[in-house]
Amino acid sequence: MLGWGIISTGLHPENKIAPAIARADGAELAAVYSRDRLRAEAFAERHGARTAYDDLDAMLADAAVDAVFISSPNSLHAQHGIKAAAAGKHVLVEKPMTTTLEDSVALVQACRTRGVKLGVGFELRLHPGHVTARRQVAQGTLGVITMAQAQWGFGVRGQQIPEPRTGLRQWWMQPEMIGGAAAIMGTGVHAIDLLRFLLGQEVTEVTALTNGQTPDQPLETIAALSLRFSSGCIATVFCGRTLPDSRNDFVLYGVNGRITGRATLWEAQQGKLEMVSDSENYTEVYPADYLGNFTALIEDFGRAVAEDGEPAATGMDGLRVVEITLAALESAREGRTVKLTPTTP
């Protein structure tokens, strides 16, 4: 049984992570931390955590805590992860892993030095349709992949400007805390990592168009990214906060066929995988399961700890997406294509 400690009591751990820990095999919620003692105690009571803390060092000294899920503001991920690693705790951090490349390198190095696991909350890697699609690509069913697309957005009908978030989520409206992007940090990074996962390749160039990244509007609400992968495959990623009827799909085009995921990027909807090729033709349907990917994320990380393996999304995966995201923001600000140079921690 892996004892989990949750750092931060915002909406994501409230609605997804704590319930997923309760549902997952081999996991229990040992402790929760918030700077607000009453908030921590209320969260612990709702979700059955053993202990509530308003002192992070005290929680990290708790022997019942084997691993932490970090869901604090993006700019604090590295600080909290490094501190957890120093205490000998395994680290699963919400995306984006960090907001700067320097922080990503420091977090990877800290976990490596202390011999603890480091994973990132890219739960789309655990969706069964995405696992199937990756396998088909690796087996060469589609032949050479020439183009890929992924889209994940949301919004409210009739609302052109997203309303400011309230309470603990106000940091999502602060560029320095969220990491200089809104739609890209919210769902775009998931779409980017999903394409990396499906193709098994790295991004070499990025071009981005957004309606932000300017002095007047530092945070975008819509973004379109063009990515070149190492094989030459060209990909597009669309994300936004004013897309109330977004399909949240992906598609991979190869010289021998295509794979399409319909609504697979949002687990609260029924999803469908369509395979059309010279050798494989079928459709798989996946029922809506709000907690499905998150439960799988918790169980996958538990296996990595128990078997001394690697989680579905590693610290290096997190670092690569940070590189891509920073390149996209540079491209949007400067109006040019940015080539990536991979960092080796």
Side-chain angles (χ1 to χ4, degrees):
M1 189 68 69
L2 191 70
W4 284 90
I6 292 179
I7 297 177
S8 181
T9 55
L11 292 178
H12 189 61
E14 173 72 38
N15 296 332
K16 298 174 182 177
I17 300 306
I21 291 172
R23 179 177 171 183
D25 291 334
E28 65 175 355
L29 185 54
V32 60
Y33 160 77
S34 172
R35 292 176 301 172
D36 185 322
R37 177 78 183 186
L38 293 179
R39 186 179 296 276
E41 290 175 347
F43 187 100
E45 183 174 356
R46 284 194 302 275
H47 296 287
R50 291 185 184 179
T51 314
Y53 291 97
D54 59 2
D55 182 327
L56 181 56
D57 290 332
M59 189 187 83
L60 294 177
D62 189 335
V65 175
D66 305 304
V68 297
F69 187 93
I70 299 174
S71 191
S72 49
N74 298 346
S75 60
L76 298 178
H77 287 178
Q79 173 187 326
H80 290 158
I82 291 170
K83 182 171 283 194
K89 311 300 183 182
H90 302 286
V91 177
L92 180 54
V93 58
E94 177 56 11
K95 58 75 192 169
M97 188 170 80
T98 66
T99 57
T100 70
L101 185 56
E102 293 77 13
D103 277 352
S104 285
V105 170
L107 181 54
V108 169
Q109 290 178 337
C111 291
R112 185 181 296 165
T113 298
R114 293 294 298 178
V116 297
K117 302 299 177 184
L118 172 59
V120 185
F122 288 128
E123 71 278 352
L124 294 183
R125 289 175 171 239
L126 282 305
H127 188 289
H130 300 161
V131 173
T132 296
R134 174 182 167 91
R135 183 175 65 250
Q136 293 287 18
V137 169
Q139 291 174 350
T141 305
L142 300 183
V144 175
I145 308 297
T146 56
M147 183 169 285
Q149 299 173 357
Q151 176 170 314
W152 192 358
F154 57 89
V156 178
R157 286 191 179 187
Q159 187 182 98
Q160 184 175 353
I161 301 175
E163 294 181 1
R165 296 174 183 264
T166 59
L168 291 180
R169 301 284 283 184
Q170 285 183 335
W171 62 265
W172 275 83
M173 308 302 294
Q174 300 178 32
E176 69 282 0
M177 298 190 76
I178 194 175
I184 293 174
M185 291 302 188
T187 57
V189 292
H190 275 301
I192 291 168
D193 183 71
L194 177 61
L195 292 180
R196 291 181 61 252
F197 173 73
L198 296 176
L199 297 175
Q201 300 176 27
E202 294 298 346
V203 174
T204 60
E205 294 180 46
V206 181
T207 305
L209 291 174
T210 76
N211 67 342
Q213 283 68 57
T214 67
D216 292 335
Q217 185 169 328
L219 297 178
E220 82 294 348
T221 60
I222 54 172
L225 282 60
S226 294
L227 312 174
R228 188 190 304 276
F229 281 85
S230 54
S231 69
C233 174
I234 301 296
T236 55
V237 167
F238 301 101
C239 56
R241 292 183 168 184
T242 53
L243 307 175
D245 297 293
S246 175
R247 281 290 302 269
N248 303 329
D249 298 343
F250 81 87
V251 60
L252 308 178
Y253 294 99
V255 296
N256 294 332
R258 64 171 168 81
I259 300 177
T260 305
R262 301 292 186 187
T264 59
L265 275 70
W266 177 233
E267 54 283 322
Q269 298 174 314
Q270 176 177 282
K272 180 170 67 173
L273 185 78
E274 299 174 343
M275 179 76 190
V276 179
S277 74
D278 292 342
S279 59
E280 298 274 356
N281 292 274
Y282 59 84
T283 298
E284 294 181 355
V285 176
Y286 309 98
D289 185 354
Y290 184 71
L291 293 178
N293 291 343
F294 299 100
T295 303
L297 179 73
I298 297 299
E299 291 179 343
D300 170 79
F301 193 82
R303 282 191 297 271
V305 171
E307 300 171 7
D308 194 22
E310 291 294 337
T314 67
M316 286 305 299
D317 290 312
L319 186 152
R320 293 290 175 244
V321 175
V322 169
E323 290 177 332
I324 297 165
T325 304
L326 293 175
L329 299 185
E330 181 179 345
S331 174
R333 287 192 301 267
E334 300 183 6
R336 64 182 181 86
T337 297
V338 177
K339 296 182 181 292
L340 276 80
T341 302
T343 301
T344 302

